[in-house]
Amino acid sequence: MDNVTDPQLAEASAGVSAYRLLSPGLEAAGLRTHQARYDNLGEARFPRVAEEFIVAGRFAPWDREAQLSGADYFGDVMATALSVIDHETPNAADTVELPPPVPLAIALDEAVARRRSVRRYTGDPVALAEVGTMLRFAAGVTGEADAELMRGGTATYRFRAVPSGGGLYPVEVHLAALDVPELAVGTYRYSPVEDVLVRTGDRATVDRLRESFAIPGGIISVESAAAVVLLVARPWRSMRKYGPRGMRFVLHECGGMAQNIHLAATGFGLGTTDCSSYIDDLSNEALGLDGVLSFLAHTIFVGWPG
């Protein structure tokens, strides 16, 4: 007898399990769903990791550790460190100069009103000038100011398009170029201080990244997108100062970057959509990230609306 389960039967069984109040049991080896977890919140043995994250990130007036950690960042040593954050000299062979930014054709209020998630694309290429402008909207340097040091002299701070808790900028903007004519297919990191792209991977990297997406029902046309913006988090940049609460700031920053990218894309007539349907271990491995100290936090597909 054929032991292969009928796909429709399997899907129906999963659906039924989702609405059972106390079954399967929390100690059982059977299928567990978010519905089952929700209905069993009264179980003392039930793991509640997401809520523990919220509690761990609380700040209290008597939290001396947090206050002392924050105070350390106002001394000359950390002030100087912040002034050189993300300042680098990338290998010239891996560096791609960006063309000048392209002005948006519509006003901000119109871009906000027009913005919609677009999941189907024509497959047409997107120019580097437009892609580069979107990356600058996410993480570009928009101003500078000199701060006086206690020992004398100054340190230059650079401000960016999206606010960042303590000016620590724990989120990097990467790009998977699928069909950007001026770029070889591959992955790139946006270097905000130098305002250039730094190549980090080739076509094989992109192929592995594509394979890590697990998008249900093919609702996003991955193959016809021109690019994927990748937000890579390095949480200890923030947590070193703010402790567990610093992870909130990482997520805040991702949201600000994503929204700016969407609005810039809307101004160009491009389509974008957020996507968190990727298998983290595979995505992080493809990008050379360890998954804890550095991990893929979010992705945004970009293409011409289909």
Side-chain angles (χ1 to χ4, degrees):
M1 181 177 178
D2 190 355
N3 291 325
V4 178
T5 303
D6 181 280
Q8 292 182 338
L9 177 60
E11 186 175 351
S13 299
V16 171
S17 296
Y19 293 98
R20 290 179 179 168
L21 297 182
L22 297 175
S23 177
L26 294 177
E27 294 182 345
L31 175 68
R32 302 181 188 181
T33 68
H34 296 298
Q35 180 69 33
R37 290 172 179 270
Y38 178 76
D39 290 330
N40 286 276
L41 287 179
E43 278 281 344
R45 296 163 295 178
F46 183 70
R48 301 172 71 167
V49 179
E51 289 161 326
E52 289 169 2
F53 161 70
I54 297 172
V55 173
R58 290 177 178 172
F59 180 74
W62 57 84
D63 189 345
R64 295 292 180 254
E65 181 182 4
Q67 293 175 4
L68 290 172
S69 180
D72 185 50
Y73 278 70
F74 290 92
D76 281 1
V77 173
M78 291 309 302
T80 303
L82 290 178
S83 72
V84 297
I85 198 166
D86 286 334
H87 201 306
E88 58 183 334
T89 306
N91 188 334
D94 296 327
T95 301
V96 178
E97 298 290 335
L98 289 173
V102 180
L104 303 187
I106 60 177
L108 175 61
D109 57 348
E110 187 175 355
V112 171
R114 285 190 187 181
R115 191 222 61 82
R116 296 291 184 272
S117 295
V118 177
R119 299 176 177 85
R120 295 287 173 182
Y121 312 106
T122 64
D124 294 317
V126 174
L128 180 58
E130 291 159 333
V131 170
T133 301
M134 292 166 59
L135 299 182
R136 290 175 174 123
F137 264 67
V141 174
T142 56
E144 295 183 352
D146 290 333
E148 293 186 2
L149 300 175
M150 290 183 289
R151 66 173 184 269
T154 61
T156 300
Y157 285 0
R158 296 173 178 85
F159 307 109
R160 303 188 191 177
V162 167
S164 179
L168 297 172
Y169 304 109
V171 182
E172 296 178 346
V173 181
H174 292 232
L175 177 75
L178 312 179
D179 195 357
V180 180
E182 300 92 333
L183 295 177
V185 174
T187 55
Y188 300 81
R189 175 175 50 82
Y190 176 59
S191 178
V193 177
E194 276 65 40
D195 192 36
V196 298
L197 292 180
V198 181
R199 187 175 173 87
T200 57
D202 54 15
R203 183 182 291 271
T205 306
V206 169
D207 290 341
R208 291 197 299 272
L209 181 65
R210 276 176 166 165
E211 292 170 359
S212 74
F213 284 97
I215 301 172
I219 58 175
I220 299 175
S221 56
V222 177
E223 297 303 322
S224 56
V228 187
V229 179
L230 313 166
L231 302 185
V232 173
R234 300 189 182 277
W236 274 100
R237 271 198 182 184
S238 182
M239 292 168 61
R240 181 180 174 185
K241 179 179 181 180
Y242 296 110
R245 194 177 186 87
M247 184 60 78
R248 293 195 196 185
F249 300 152
V250 172
L251 303 180
H252 295 169
E253 195 163 321
C254 283
M257 287 178 166
Q259 183 69 354
N260 277 12
I261 289 169
H262 291 311
L263 294 177
T266 301
F268 294 138
L270 290 165
T272 55
T273 189
D274 293 307
C275 179
S276 290
S277 296
Y278 51 86
I279 301 171
D280 295 74
D281 288 345
L282 296 180
S283 299
N284 289 326
E285 183 180 356
L287 297 171
L289 309 173
D290 64 21
V292 177
L293 299 180
S294 58
F295 64 93
L296 180 61
H298 192 53
T299 74
I300 303 165
F301 279 85
V302 181
W304 293 106

